[in-house]
Amino acid sequence: MLSCKSFFSKIIRKKKNNRNKNRVRRKFLFRKQNSISKKDLQEEEEEEEEEEDYTEEGFRLKASAPSHVHGVQPLGNLYLNPGSINSRNTGLGNLQILTDELVLDILGLLDGNHLGVLATVSKSFYIFANHEPLWRNIVLENLNGGILFNGCWKSTYIASCCTSFDISKIGLSGLRVRDFYSDYLFQSWLCANLEMKPEWLERDNIIRRKSISVEDFVSNFEEPNKPVLLEGCLDNWVASEKWDRDYLAQLSGDVRFSVGPVEMKLGDYFRYSDQAKEERPLYLFDPKFAEKVPRLDSEYEVPVYFREDLFSLLGNERPDYRWIIIGPAGSGSSFHIDPNSTSAWNAVIKGSKKWVLFPPDVIPPGVHPSPDGAEVACPVSIIEWFMNFYDATKTWKKKPIECICKAGEVIFVPNGWWHLVINLEESIAITQNYVSRRNLLNVLDFLRRPNASALVSGTRDRMNLYEKFKNAFEASYPGTIEQLVQKAEEKKAQEKKPSFWDSVTDSKVGAFKFSF
C-alpha cells in the first residue's frame, strides 16, 4: 500500500501533467512531511527533510542556498497539512480569487514607496510586496544603470534612493510567515537555488571537429545547416590568455556595458554577479564593446570558417552582429532563433556553457512562437524549462543537439535553429552573427517579409534593410543572386526527382513496373 506521502506525490504529479500545455508559467510542486515550525531547531530539521525530498526527485539545492526568506512553501505541502489554512488567502481578502501572477502584475504598477506601504497591510501582502522581481524592475527602470547592488534588489533601491538611511541597521532577512503556500512564489526561489541535475548535462551528441579545412566545414556543416563544435580555433587569441575578470575590470571597469535593459559599469556588474541569487541573473550582452574598448577588438579574431560576412557590405549601417557576453552561473539565454535569419558562432573564452539546440522544423517543448514569429512565449527561466520540459525530449524522435562548450571551443549555430544557453560557471564569451553565400537567400527572404519591420532587429532602418543589403551585394557581386537562385532550384528539383529504384518499382505493391 502506498504511504500517505507517496499517495499525495502521485496526485501532485498527476495534477502537474494535466495542466494546460499553453500555459507558459508552469508550476512545480515539492513536498515536505511537516509544516514549518517557529522553533529554529525544528526549522533546521525540516530543511534537512526537505533536502532529502529534493534528492529523491533528483534535485539538489546549491550549497549556498538559503531557506526561503519568508517561509513560503509549495502548495503541495498544504495537502499534507489538512488542518492548515493558507494564510495567502486570508491576507489577500477579496483579492484571493486572483492568481499569484495577476496579483504580482497589479503590484508591478506601483512605485517603491507605495509597494513599501502595501507591505504593512497584511502578512500576505508583505510577502507579495517583497517579491524580488518587483524591486528588480523598479531599480532597472528608475536608476538608469547607476546600480550598486546591495545583496537584494529591495535594499539596493533603499540604499540608492534614501542615501541618509543606514541600511545596515535594519534586518532585511524578512519575516517568516507560517502556513503561506504558493507554487508560483516558491518556484521563483527554487529556480534560483537549484543545481543543474547531472542528467541534464550528460547528453553530448554534437559533432566535434578539430583542424578541419574551410571546404570541409562548408560542405559538411554550413551547407547542410548542421551544428558543429570546433576545437582549437582560439589557440592564437590574446583574449584566451588575458581575458578574465581582473584584466577586464582593470582595462574597462568604468566603461558602461549593456546589461539587460540598462547600461552598467563593468565593475558594478561584477559586484552584482558576485552577490546575485535570483531566478534570472542579469546577463552582460553588449553589441558595441569593440567601439567602447578598441583593445578588446584587437585581442580576438574571427575564426577562418566564418570570415565571409556579407552584411559587412553595409558598413556602419549593418545590423548589430557581435557581442561580448559575461555572466555568472545560471545566467544565459532562453530559447530563441538568431536575428535576421543569420547563422552564428559562439566562442567560450572563460568558463563553460550548456547548449540545447532544435532544428528549424522542431519547436522546443514549452515554447510558443506567435504565427508571424514576432514574439516567443517560453518559461520564465532556463532552470524552469529544464525542470518541466527537458525530460520530455528523451522520447522524441528528433532529439535536440546538446553539448557543453568549454573554454577554447567554438560552436556553430546554423540559421533557424532554436537554441538555449546556460552558463555552468562564471563565463566570458564572444559571439558573432554573419551572412555567407550559403545562407544569403534565406536572409533576403527574411528581410523582405511583409512584417519585416517587426522581425528585423539590430538596426534603426528596419523598413529599408532589404533594399540596401540587396543593392550593396549586387554592386559587389553582380549576377550572383541569380546564380544562387538557379542552383537552389536545381537542388530542389533533384530532391524531388525519384531515384532509379523508385522509377522501376511500384510504390503501392512493391513490384517491378514494365513499360514497352
Side-chain angles (χ1 to χ4, degrees), residues 197 199-200 385-395:
K197 293 173 64 174
E199 49 263 47
W200 295 346
W385 184 84
F386 274 100
M387 288 170 61
N388 295 325
F389 299 104
Y390 179 80
D391 285 346
T393 66
K394 294 180 178 179
T395 60

Side-chain angles (χ1 to χ4, degrees), residues 24 242 326 334 369 491:
V24 175
K242 289 187 174 182
I326 304 174
S334 56
K491 182 179 179 181

Side-chain angles (χ1 to χ4, degrees), residues 2 174 225 246 275 277 331 387 425 450 456:
L2 291 174
N225 214 43
D246 293 335
Q275 303 177 65
K277 291 182 176 64
S331 61
M387 288 170 61
E425 55 189 313
V456 173

Side-chain angles (χ1 to χ4, degrees), residues 12-302:
I12 294 168
R13 286 196 294 268
K14 184 176 180 180
K15 179 180 177 182
K16 172 176 173 284
N17 292 333
N18 289 336
R19 287 199 175 102
N20 190 328
K21 292 183 180 179
N22 292 326
R23 188 179 182 86
V24 175
R25 181 73 186 193
R26 305 300 173 118
K27 313 297 187 218
F28 194 89
L29 306 180
F30 277 87
R31 303 162 285 115
K32 279 173 57 180
Q33 189 169 6
N34 301 315
S35 61
I36 294 178
S37 170
K38 295 180 181 179
K39 297 181 180 180
D40 292 339
L41 181 58
Q42 289 180 339
E43 286 179 355
E44 291 177 2
E45 291 174 350
E46 289 179 2
E47 285 171 11
E48 290 176 359
E49 290 175 3
E50 183 176 295
E51 186 172 346
E52 290 175 0
D53 281 345
Y54 296 141
T55 303
E56 289 176 10
E57 297 289 345
F59 294 97
R60 280 193 176 277
L61 293 178
K62 297 174 183 176
S64 60
S67 59
H68 194 289
V69 66
H70 302 307
V72 174
Q73 301 178 64
L75 191 58
N77 287 19
L78 182 60
Y79 301 154
L80 304 177
N81 293 281
S84 299
I85 298 176
N86 193 350
S87 61
R88 179 260 186 209
N89 297 332
T90 56
L92 287 179
N94 291 336
L95 295 182
Q96 65 181 272
I97 62 172
L98 303 179
T99 64
D100 292 347
E101 299 96 316
L102 187 53
V103 171
L104 291 170
D105 284 343
I106 294 172
L107 298 191
L109 302 174
L110 304 179
D111 60 23
N113 291 336
H114 290 101
L115 205 57
V117 171
L118 187 64
T120 66
V121 171
S122 68
K123 293 179 180 178
S124 185
F125 273 117
Y126 172 80
I127 290 180
F128 277 103
N130 278 283
H131 189 50
E132 270 286 273
L134 291 176
W135 292 96
R136 166 172 154 152
N137 291 340
I138 291 174
V139 170
L140 297 180
E141 290 172 4
N142 294 281
L143 298 187
N144 299 318
I147 300 170
L148 288 177
F149 194 72
N150 197 40
C152 70
W153 288 106
K154 183 178 180 180
S155 62
T156 300
Y157 174 81
I158 295 173
S160 300
C161 297
C162 308
T163 55
S164 61
F165 190 83
D166 188 355
I167 198 79
S168 63
K169 291 186 177 180
I170 65 171
L172 289 178
S173 58
L175 300 175
R176 295 183 66 85
V177 177
R178 186 173 183 177
D179 294 333
F180 187 104
Y181 304 93
S182 166
D183 285 341
Y184 189 90
L185 296 179
F186 183 80
Q187 180 167 277
S188 180
W189 168 84
L190 188 62
C191 288
N193 291 285
L194 273 186
E195 288 185 346
M196 293 285 286
K197 293 173 64 174
E199 49 263 47
W200 295 346
L201 305 175
E202 64 187 11
R203 187 190 293 171
D204 193 319
N205 56 357
I206 198 169
I207 298 173
R208 294 172 177 265
R209 291 290 184 267
K210 184 175 183 179
S211 302
I212 63 172
S213 66
V214 174
E215 292 75 18
D216 285 345
F217 169 75
V218 171
S219 61
N220 293 319
F221 301 104
E222 191 176 31
E223 284 187 344
N225 214 43
K226 292 169 54 178
V228 62
L229 191 144
L230 301 167
E231 301 173 348
C233 295
L234 281 60
D235 292 346
N236 298 322
W237 283 19
V238 175
S240 295
E241 298 179 2
K242 289 187 174 182
W243 286 20
D244 56 27
R245 66 149 55 195
D246 293 335
Y247 176 77
L248 294 178
Q250 181 181 5
L251 179 65
S252 50
D254 290 330
V255 177
R256 290 181 176 270
F257 291 92
S258 296
V259 178
V262 300
E263 289 203 339
M264 293 177 63
K265 291 182 179 180
L266 183 60
D268 293 343
Y269 176 73
F270 283 140
R271 169 178 171 149
Y272 158 80
S273 64
D274 284 341
Q275 303 177 65
K277 291 182 176 64
E278 55 183 332
E279 184 177 6
R280 294 174 296 139
L282 290 175
Y283 207 18
L284 190 153
F285 203 84
D286 194 288
K288 306 296 183 184
F289 73 96
E291 292 88 338
K292 295 175 180 178
V293 189
R295 187 186 296 183
L296 296 179
D297 185 29
S298 68
E299 293 180 343
Y300 83 98
E301 60 183 16
V302 177

Side-chain angles (χ1 to χ4, degrees), residues 339-370:
N340 305 327
S341 197
T342 55
S343 299
W345 57 270
N346 186 297
V348 178
I349 299 170
K350 289 290 186 295
S352 58
K353 298 172 180 284
K354 166 73 177 182
W355 286 77
V356 181
L357 305 96
F358 287 87
D361 61 330
V362 178
I363 299 176
V367 176
H368 306 280
S370 60

